[in-house]
Amino acid sequence: MNVLITGCSNGIGKSVIEKFALNNHFCIGLDIVESKNSRENIVNFVCDITNYDSLKVVENYLKDNNIKLDLIINIAGIHKMASLVETDFNYIKKLIEINLTGTMLVNHTFFKFLSNKGKIILLTSEVASFTPMPFNGLYNISKTALETYADALRQELNLLGNKVITIQPGSIETKLSKNSLTDTKELANKTKLYKKQAKHFYTLVSKFMGKPLKAKKLASLIYKVSLKKHPKLTYKIHRSFGLVLLNILPKRAQLFIIKSLLNKK
């Protein structure tokens, strides 16, 4: 297979591109920073997925080498624990651009190279199917919107014979998941509105995250999904048991519980 993968310089993306390359597939990796993947069957591009001029270099490479893609895997994304009313709005726009519209731009740009039976895989998150937690709302918004985009794209491409699959992982052992705890501490130090609540939220996040899953295990799932003739529409892996239980409750009950936990003395 010829596979295009975004966000491949570290974390989940790095594990995914290595998995495909080790199984002798030709991989095209995109990331905002230089990748150290150096196998002969990997071609790396430093580019910004939110900028078409940056992606055009990759587009020209595919044209010049007459490459058809069998698979597009969208992994690139960022995370930030943040208040929706205190965080600099430029950063809010940046996160949405990378997690949502950047992914849309990638698929819009490279769909023309996708084979007739080619697949598009989007990495979303378990939070996409849950009620947002306070201070994780920005990330949740981007991933829920990404799920809606995937549903819409699936409806369109189903008419052409292409598959669109979403993967909803829980906590994965990456720099991004480690930073979520660091972000929560920083939020507690910087916020003017939620000093007490942000400190309690750090404890809550630690409990809900549990032990992160190894990125290689997620990569193995993505690889298996890519080979299936009739894959499921969505795959869920390593979900937070605490969040699953919380989301069984009505939303008003969830509000009461979270407020009680974060406003305690």
Side-chain angles (χ1 to χ4, degrees):
M1 286 192 294
N2 294 328
V3 187
L4 184 143
I5 305 168
T6 68
C8 61
S9 69
N10 57 65
I12 296 168
K14 185 174 187 294
S15 293
V16 169
I17 200 168
E18 287 175 351
K19 181 70 175 179
F20 278 87
L22 285 170
N23 283 278
N24 300 315
H25 300 289
F26 178 67
C27 302
I28 300 161
L30 282 58
D31 206 299
I32 193 71
V33 297
E34 188 174 356
S35 174
K36 295 180 180 179
N37 301 313
S38 58
R39 292 178 63 90
E40 290 183 0
N41 56 337
I42 297 178
V43 177
N44 295 302
F45 288 91
V46 176
C47 61
D48 178 358
I49 65 167
T50 69
N51 186 305
Y52 174 67
D53 289 337
S54 185
L55 293 178
K56 195 167 180 62
V57 177
V58 186
E59 184 180 20
N60 290 336
Y61 170 80
L62 295 175
K63 283 180 182 176
D64 293 345
N65 291 278
N66 196 29
I67 296 173
K68 292 292 286 184
L69 298 172
D70 300 291
L71 183 62
I72 299 173
I73 306 178
N74 298 273
I75 296 175
I78 59 174
H79 179 270
K80 184 73 174 177
M81 288 291 186
S83 160
L84 292 173
V85 293
E86 284 187 304
T87 303
D88 187 301
F89 199 75
N90 287 323
Y91 188 85
I92 290 176
K93 286 172 61 179
K94 178 184 176 182
L95 187 142
I96 297 296
E97 285 173 356
I98 293 172
N99 290 6
L100 177 62
T101 57
T103 296
M104 294 171 69
L105 180 58
V106 166
N107 294 326
H108 187 277
T109 302
F110 299 114
F111 176 73
K112 64 176 75 73
F113 299 101
L114 196 64
S115 62
N116 291 336
K117 297 295 181 181
K119 301 182 182 77
I120 295 178
I121 295 177
L122 300 98
L123 190 73
T124 61
S125 170
E126 67 170 347
V127 302
S129 58
F130 294 144
T131 302
M133 294 283 278
F135 315 128
N136 198 35
L138 179 56
Y139 182 71
N140 200 306
I141 289 165
S142 71
K143 292 301 184 178
T144 303
L146 192 58
E147 279 283 344
T148 302
Y149 161 70
D151 286 339
L153 186 65
R154 183 184 295 119
Q155 288 283 8
E156 269 196 44
L157 300 193
N158 182 53
L159 303 175
L160 304 177
N162 298 107
K163 306 288 187 184
V164 175
I165 305 114
T166 57
I167 313 286
Q168 294 183 357
S171 177
I172 307 297
E173 192 176 88
T174 62
K175 184 179 178 182
L176 185 145
S177 67
K178 290 177 182 177
N179 284 349
S180 66
L181 290 174
T182 305
D183 281 349
T184 310
K185 277 188 174 181
E186 289 181 2
L187 176 66
N189 292 330
K190 292 180 180 179
T191 181
K192 294 180 180 179
L193 299 175
Y194 306 107
K195 285 288 184 186
K196 177 175 65 175
Q197 293 91 342
K199 287 179 181 178
H200 289 316
F201 188 65
Y202 175 80
T203 304
L204 198 63
V205 169
S206 302
K207 290 180 179 178
F208 273 107
M209 278 183 64
K211 185 177 180 181
L213 184 73
K214 296 286 185 182
K216 287 185 177 180
K217 288 192 175 182
L218 178 56
S220 293
L221 172 64
I222 292 172
Y223 183 70
K224 288 176 183 176
V225 169
S226 74
L227 300 178
K228 288 182 178 292
K229 188 175 182 180
H230 301 292
K232 294 192 292 186
L233 304 183
T234 299
Y235 290 82
K236 299 178 181 182
I237 181 173
H238 198 58
R239 303 180 85 199
S240 165
F241 183 65
L243 286 176
V244 171
L245 284 180
L246 181 65
N247 280 268
I248 292 173
L249 301 173
K251 289 188 178 181
R252 190 174 294 277
Q254 293 181 47
L255 284 168
F256 175 79
I257 290 169
I258 296 300
K259 185 176 181 179
S260 298
L261 289 172
L262 300 191
N263 275 348
K264 65 182 181 181
K265 294 182 179 180

